Structure formats: structure tokens, C-alpha cells
Amino acid sequence: MSSRSEPPEPAPPSRRPRSLLLAEVARATQRLADAGVPSPRFDAEELAAYVHGTDRTRLHTVADADFDARYWEVVARREAREPLQHITGRAFFRYLELRVGPGVFVPRPETESVVGWAIDAVRAMDVAEPLIVDLCTGSGAIALALAQEVPRATVHAVELDERALKWARENAEGTRVILHHGDARTALPELGGQVDLVISNPPYIPLGEWEHVAPEARDHDPQLALFSGEDGLEMIRGLERTAHRLLRHGGVVVIEHADTQGGQVPWIFTEDRGWADAADHPDLNNRPRFATARRVAR
């Protein structure tokens, strides 16, 4: 009588060992989270990609032997709340990669919705070659996005701070954006009554809120780009007059503001000052983020 042996139990599937870099990214994520960094995982991965010359989706391909210990130097800088973009030297805005660093305001994701509204507004105009002015341009992010996505537009950008203007010039090199060094409140008198759209992300933080501003902005962004009088609306009041001077009849102004200023900014663009259709608009998080108005004859 013969017996047949049972087949052996299948071996458990082997697990690929976690790469050294991914393990260190996990450690860095915890360190950044403990330091209060708002997006610790993203920042830890972005720093790893920067140091190792790759992108975030390919971190798993970095061999253990190629791990660069300089990663912990940049993690320590971010842990101290130095802006991620200052460490990597780049900021992403809509379809752009911009050069940024000390002396220039780092563009924020919420401003992308402001630009998106402006692009739709310009495209809806019956104008073959729109004329656009970006006031307080900083890195040039808004102006460059408009020039890229509205290819028949002429875009002028104004910046007062010479350090910020240096970054804008670097970003605008080889583009159609026309840069001007000057005060946004008195800029471009030669364009009076001709402009189709005026847009700005001006300073709008009240002076009394200094201590509540995130360290990345308070300690690293230029003060000129952040604070604007006791209520934060001083520059916006000045820009209202600039926009009215520059815009043609029917032209549109778009002004970013703090989410806590919803309802206040449209009241600056009143009918008796030559405006119509003043309104607030939400950002992607449904918080009031920017105001618009249309210039009319007064």
C-alpha cells in the first residue's frame, strides 16, 4: 500500500525591504510634524527629491548606497521653519516653476484661484489682444501665469522692492512680461484708461497681527509684501485709485485679500467711486479670498 505525501505549504510572499531613503523620509516627516510644519510629509519628500536630484514619485528608486547625508542638513533648516521654497530655490505656481529666495514673497497656492478667475474674465472679454497690469508683482508669478495662459495678452508688472524685482527679472527673462520698477500707487501713467484687467496680490496683513503670522512668512518674506496699515487695507485703498485710473470703461480689477477680510474689500470699490458689480469670491477651500469690480463711468 503506497502513501502520497501532502504538498508543502506555500512560502509567505517575501517583502521587499524598505529603502534607506524612504525610512529616513519617514523619520524626517515626524521631525517636521513635531516642529509644526503644516505639510510635513510633502516637505520631507520634496527635500529628499531636491537633495538626490530626482522627483517625489521616484524616491523609491534611490539606492541605499546613494543616500546623501546632506538630507538632514536641509531637514534641519525646514525644521527651523525656513520656507521650503527658499531651501530648494523654486516654487511651483499653476504651470510655472519659479526661482525664489530671500527678498521675495513666495507665491501661495490660494493665489492660483485668483489668477484662474482673472484668466476666465479676460477670455470672456471681446478683446483680441488684452492689456493686463499686475501690481505688486513680487516674483512675477501672477504676471507670468497670465502671459502664459492668455498668449495674445500684453502684460505689465510693477514692483517697488529692488530685491524682489531681481527675482522677477530672473523669472521673466525670455518671456513677454514687461517689468517696471516703481510704486504701484503711481505706476504706468502712460496706460491710463487703456487697461482691460488690473490684478494684484498686495500686502494686506494688519500691523497688529505680526505675532500671529506663520514663521515662514513673518521671518522670511519681505515685510513690504506682508503688512499694510492698522487694518491691513491701506495698500488696497491706494490700488483702488490706481485701478480706476488705469482701466478702460468696462475693465475689471481683481484684488487678493485675507480670508478674514471677506466683505470689507468690495466696500472699497463703491459706485460713487466709479465701480459696479463689486463682489467677493472664495478660494478652493471656500474661504473669501479675492474681490473683483468693474470700472464704469462716474
Side-chain angles (χ1 to χ4, degrees):
M1 182 176 174
S2 63
S3 63
R4 191 167 54 184
S5 61
E6 294 293 325
E9 290 290 329
S14 61
R15 292 185 178 179
R16 183 177 179 178
R18 193 180 198 182
S19 75
L20 173 61
L21 179 56
L22 292 183
E24 300 296 70
V25 165
R27 290 177 56 205
T29 298
Q30 187 59 55
R31 278 181 52 173
L32 295 181
D34 292 343
V37 172
S39 51
R41 181 73 187 187
F42 175 89
D43 289 19
E45 292 177 348
E46 189 70 13
L47 290 171
Y50 164 70
V51 169
H52 293 89
T54 185
D55 59 63
R56 291 172 52 236
T57 64
R58 297 186 57 79
L59 292 177
H60 65 281
T61 67
V62 176
D64 289 357
D66 294 330
F67 175 75
D68 192 331
R70 288 178 302 173
Y71 177 54
W72 290 110
E73 296 176 12
V74 297
V75 168
R77 291 170 63 185
R78 185 69 187 103
E79 193 174 19
R81 305 300 290 272
E82 182 176 349
L84 171 69
Q85 297 85 353
H86 282 197
I87 299 170
T88 64
R90 63 186 184 183
F92 298 99
F93 186 81
R94 292 183 70 87
Y95 304 105
L96 300 168
E97 181 176 327
L98 303 167
R99 295 283 298 157
V100 295
V104 69
F105 181 82
V106 174
R108 269 52 169 186
E110 50 265 31
T111 306
E112 295 188 14
S113 60
V114 182
V115 174
W117 190 98
I119 289 170
D120 290 341
V122 172
R123 288 174 176 169
M125 295 176 180
D126 187 19
V127 179
E129 297 180 347
L131 181 57
I132 298 172
V133 171
D134 172 27
L135 301 172
C136 310
T137 195
S139 66
I142 289 176
L144 289 163
L146 286 163
Q148 181 186 66
E149 297 181 58
V150 189
R152 294 181 65 85
T154 297
V155 183
H156 294 262
V158 179
E159 177 55 51
L160 178 61
D161 191 316
E162 291 188 0
R163 293 180 70 197
L165 191 65
K166 177 184 76 72
W167 291 103
R169 288 192 178 115
E170 185 173 341
N171 288 321
E173 185 176 358
T175 74
R176 295 178 295 105
V177 171
I178 305 164
L179 288 170
H180 304 266
H181 180 211
D183 190 324
R185 292 164 291 192
T186 57
L188 305 174
E190 66 276 16
L191 297 182
Q194 303 174 52
V195 178
D196 298 294
L197 181 132
V198 170
I199 186 170
S200 181
N201 178 16
Y204 50 68
I205 300 175
L207 289 170
E209 293 186 9
W210 183 89
E211 63 183 16
H212 303 297
V213 177
E216 288 86 347
R218 183 189 65 220
D219 300 336
H220 297 278
D221 280 329
Q223 303 294 293
L224 190 64
L226 297 178
F227 300 100
S228 185
E230 293 302 318
D231 64 357
L233 300 176
E234 185 175 298
M235 176 58 80
I236 293 178
R237 292 189 186 96
L239 295 184
E240 180 269 327
R241 287 293 83 196
T242 303
H244 193 274
R245 170 173 56 82
L246 291 175
L247 287 170
R248 61 168 173 82
H249 177 69
V252 175
V253 61
V254 186
I255 302 281
E256 181 171 338
H257 57 72
D259 56 6
T260 56
Q261 294 165 334
Q264 299 179 55
V265 177
W267 283 103
I268 295 174
F269 296 84
T270 56
E271 290 184 13
D272 64 324
R273 297 180 72 84
W275 299 99
D277 305 326
D280 253 329
H281 304 265
D283 59 18
L284 295 177
N285 294 313
N286 205 35
R287 297 176 299 194
R289 177 57 57 187
F290 61 100
T292 64
R294 180 171 53 88
R295 189 201 186 285
V296 295
R298 185 172 51 173

